[in-house]
Amino acid sequence: NTASASLVRYSACHSDKLYIWVYVLMLISILWACSIFSNIIHCTAAGSVAMWWKHGSSGEGAHNHLSVQHDIPTSSFINAIATDIGSICYGSLFVAIVKGMRNVTTFLIHQMGALQKSPAVNRNALGSCCSMLSVYIMKIFEYILLVIDYLLEYFNRYAFTYVSVYGYDFTRASK
């Protein structure tokens, strides 16, 4: 009986830590999926414009020109989900990880702020100073992640354009 009670307490103690990691991984996977869908749309649009620029604006007859224009978005979408999907997933993973870290950091800052405002917290001078310092450090870390996120989004747009227009892989396109 005591062994089973000890096992229950042991598994309950470690399951909370497991749930936190599961939540973080689920958050990153949802952000990754959203980033993939967004970048598929971006690659489809960039590929459509590039195909139109190469083939659709030649002006060789109205009937051929019209049929080529209708096939351009479809073939660009198929190209994005068939040949460029590996590069899209790879590039989107970095954005998802940084966005996930930003969301977790923002959550921790809010939790630390709520803990400081709680009347049940012991308000000695050293504890208050350390908790304020940790909040400021977390806010600095959040700002750094914000800048990294902005830069990743900015440069990924150009990299994904190169992926869809020239057929480069993500690492070659991002150089």
Side-chain angles (χ1 to χ4, degrees), residues 5-23:
S6 171
L7 182 62
V8 169
R9 273 187 275 133
Y10 178 75
S11 65
C13 177
H14 290 294
S15 66
D16 290 340
K17 293 177 185 177
L18 177 68
Y19 285 142
I20 291 171
W21 284 109
V22 168
Y23 290 143

Side-chain angles (χ1 to χ4, degrees), residues 140-165:
I140 291 170
F141 183 65
E142 180 187 31
Y143 183 75
I144 290 170
L145 288 174
L146 178 73
V147 170
I148 292 171
D149 182 32
Y150 174 76
L151 291 174
L152 276 175
E153 288 280 344
Y154 183 78
F155 289 116
N156 275 356
R157 289 290 169 208
Y158 291 106
F160 287 130
T161 301
Y162 270 78
V163 164
S164 62
V165 171

Side-chain angles (χ1 to χ4, degrees), residues 49-163:
V49 169
M51 280 191 200
W52 176 82
W53 190 263
K54 289 178 189 175
H55 305 292
S57 64
S58 60
E60 312 128 356
H63 184 67
N64 288 339
H65 182 66
L66 192 59
S67 67
V68 168
Q69 283 183 349
H70 286 294
D71 293 340
I72 287 175
T74 305
S75 61
S76 181
F77 177 72
I78 290 170
N79 190 33
I81 62 171
T83 59
D84 298 338
I85 194 69
S87 296
I88 292 171
C89 291
Y90 183 61
S92 299
L93 181 63
F94 299 118
V95 174
I97 289 172
V98 171
K99 283 186 185 293
M101 289 173 60
R102 255 187 64 213
N103 286 331
V104 169
T105 304
T106 303
F107 173 76
L108 290 175
I109 288 170
H110 288 300
Q111 291 297 318
M112 292 167 76
L115 187 65
Q116 284 180 349
K117 294 176 185 174
S118 174
V121 176
N122 185 5
R123 302 215 185 262
N124 61 13
L126 183 61
S128 177
C129 177
C130 290
S131 63
M132 289 296 290
L133 182 64
S134 61
V135 168
Y136 289 132
I137 289 172
M138 292 293 283
K139 286 187 179 192
I140 291 170
F141 183 65
E142 180 187 31
Y143 183 75
I144 290 170
L145 288 174
L146 178 73
V147 170
I148 292 171
D149 182 32
Y150 174 76
L151 291 174
L152 276 175
E153 288 280 344
Y154 183 78
F155 289 116
N156 275 356
R157 289 290 169 208
Y158 291 106
F160 287 130
T161 301
Y162 270 78
V163 164

Side-chain angles (χ1 to χ4, degrees), residues 22-52:
V22 168
Y23 290 143
V24 168
L25 289 176
M26 286 176 60
L27 173 70
I28 290 174
S29 65
I30 289 170
L31 291 170
W32 190 24
C34 291
S35 182
I36 288 171
F37 293 138
S38 171
N39 291 325
I40 286 174
I41 292 169
H42 176 77
C43 285
T44 301
S48 295
V49 169
M51 280 191 200
W52 176 82

